[in-house]
Amino acid sequence: MTAVATPFRPTAAIPAPMGILAELTHRCPLACPHCSNPLTLEQRGAELDTETWKRVLSEATAMGALHVHLSGGEPTARRDIVELTRHCAEIGLYSNLITSGIGVSETLFASLVAAGLDHVQLSFQGARAETNDRLGGYDGGYLRKRVVAAMVTEAGLPLTVNAVIHRGNIAEVGAMIDLALDLGAKRLEVAHTQYYGWALANRAALMPSRAAVDEAIAVVEAARPRLEGRMVVDMVIPDYYARHPKPCSGGWGRRSLNVTPSGKVLPCHAAETIRHLEFWNVKDRPLAEIWSESPAFVAYRGTDWMPEPCSSCDRKEVDWGGCRCQALALVGDAAAADPACHKSPAHARVAALAAAEAAAEGRDVEILWRGR
């Protein structure tokens, strides 16, 4: 079947997507145990070609999308990353490069800037070189990241530092704030691990204690007024210690979409864990048709699918039922109330699970390293 773009008209029930996560490749030089990519990574031979990606980006823009996250894996592993970035600029799509920094040479970065790159999000696995390189599984990674951060700020592009936090680095949250300031970042994401993919497999090795989480939250809250006007510090707390669930990608099929390296279109990054869903591919259908009509997007869009206690909750159009993948992972039912919610019958059980796994600190807990 040949994909042909069709006009998209947003409605209250099916609004236009604000953004697209373009997972250009699963190839990555790092081996982070907290990676949220699936355990079965898509191979290079299955990746979409350049022209297909350009069509998808154009269709997203025509639908109303305002920005694209060029992600992976490591997106700069694609030889066409400059061409894809230039295409984003040509169609008016704000581009954010989500990168580990590894492999980003001065020549490549200069080409990306010339092509019209708008923003860079640079990951750090720790605030200190030893922590960063150990958790990323790449010697010299910390120093390379610092070089790339300097290239970004010298080029005048806004820099976001992303730090995925877990038991292995939670003690460095304060140092991470200092590092981001030193690098000239405009924004820091202190993002506690979300347990999908490799992170779910490594949950027992990554889960921090409630006391450590509370201390990290206090550090961030104390820093925010001090840094006002200099750097924004965002924080994502662990769902397992939350009272209310987070809205899945702003609401399932409401704000964003993911395209995998092979072209499958997902409502959220981990949606393929829900095995009964059918995911359409951009190689077969236009993006607007997938967004509007595909079974995967229709399944949990809106509120009609919700069981109790969600269906009568006054927050049902705030958190949109929470995370479907988490409900599946923790209670075995993707349509159940997200156990992160205090109203879920499973909430206490999940809190107990978090406490038990956090107590594994110091024990010999095996880590599954990504890609090894």
Side-chain angles (χ1 to χ4, degrees):
M1 181 186 300
T2 302
V4 178
T6 56
F8 171 75
R9 294 179 176 83
T11 66
I14 309 177
M18 294 182 63
I20 174 174
L21 177 65
E23 299 178 53
L24 301 179
T25 181
H26 278 162
R27 289 174 281 150
C28 183
L30 302 185
C32 305
H34 60 256
C35 181
S36 60
N37 276 335
L39 296 182
T40 303
L41 300 171
E42 295 185 356
Q43 300 303 303
R44 180 174 185 171
E47 293 173 8
L48 297 178
D49 62 27
T50 306
E51 292 307 312
T52 302
W53 269 119
K54 289 166 72 172
R55 172 178 62 79
V56 169
L57 295 168
S58 293
E59 290 182 6
T61 304
M63 292 168 62
L66 302 175
H67 62 266
V68 59
H69 301 292
L70 300 171
S71 183
E74 174 50 56
T76 60
R78 293 270 307 210
R79 294 180 179 178
D80 58 0
I81 186 61
V82 173
E83 184 175 354
L84 293 177
T85 301
R86 181 178 298 108
H87 182 73
C88 292
E90 290 172 348
I91 62 177
L93 192 60
Y94 186 95
S95 58
N96 174 33
L97 180 71
I98 300 180
T99 179
S100 67
I102 309 301
V104 180
S105 66
E106 291 186 13
T107 300
L108 174 58
F109 188 72
S111 296
L112 288 168
V113 173
L117 180 66
D118 292 301
H119 184 277
V120 175
Q121 177 177 308
L122 181 63
S123 68
F124 275 82
Q125 287 68 52
R128 299 179 175 88
E130 188 279 331
T131 307
N132 182 89
D133 294 359
R134 174 173 52 82
L135 292 174
Y138 192 95
D139 291 341
Y142 178 84
L143 293 178
R144 186 64 211 159
K145 290 170 185 288
R146 293 198 65 122
V147 169
V148 172
M151 290 193 296
V152 175
T153 55
E154 288 170 7
L157 294 186
L159 171 67
T160 292
V161 168
N162 172 264
V164 178
I165 302 299
H166 48 74
R167 191 161 74 219
N169 60 13
I170 195 168
E172 298 185 8
V173 168
M176 186 64 71
I177 293 172
D178 293 339
L179 172 63
L181 274 173
D182 183 51
L183 295 175
K186 298 298 184 184
R187 183 168 172 260
L188 167 65
E189 293 180 348
V190 178
H192 285 266
T193 298
Q194 305 297 294
Y195 294 100
Y196 311 111
W198 298 79
L200 180 60
N202 287 311
R203 189 177 61 192
L206 300 175
M207 184 69 69
S209 69
R210 182 59 184 257
V213 170
D214 288 344
E215 183 177 348
I217 292 172
V219 168
V220 171
E221 293 296 343
R224 280 173 168 162
R226 173 171 57 88
L227 300 176
E228 187 173 359
R230 298 172 63 194
M231 184 176 75
V232 173
V233 183
D234 288 335
M235 180 168 56
V236 179
I237 66 172
D239 287 340
Y240 289 39
Y241 292 119
R243 179 172 172 80
H244 296 292
K246 66 180 184 299
C248 177
S249 300
W252 185 279
R254 293 190 61 81
R255 295 172 64 92
S256 65
L257 55 86
N258 294 26
V259 182
T260 75
S262 65
K264 286 175 286 186
V265 185
L266 315 179
C268 75
H269 185 68
E272 285 184 280
T273 60
I274 306 176
R275 301 297 185 186
H276 69 265
L277 294 181
E278 178 186 345
F279 301 102
W280 290 356
N281 196 297
V282 295
K283 291 183 287 190
D284 305 320
R285 301 171 188 265
L287 195 61
E289 180 182 344
I290 297 173
W291 173 258
S292 301
E293 303 175 21
S294 71
F297 279 84
V298 171
Y300 302 113
R301 180 182 269 143
T303 60
D304 290 346
W305 62 271
M306 291 182 179
E308 289 292 353
C310 303
S311 61
S312 60
C313 182
D314 59 2
R315 290 179 55 88
K316 69 180 181 181
E317 293 188 6
V318 175
D319 56 43
W320 299 99
C323 178
R324 300 300 87 226
C325 302
Q326 187 157 262
L328 177 66
L330 294 177
V331 301
D333 181 4
D338 186 340
C341 181
H342 71 285
K343 294 183 179 181
S344 165
H347 184 69
R349 177 158 53 91
V350 170
L353 182 154
E357 294 201 334
E361 185 171 9
R363 301 178 194 168
D364 185 16
V365 180
E366 184 178 357
I367 294 179
L368 181 64
W369 295 93
R370 180 193 188 276
R372 289 184 180 176

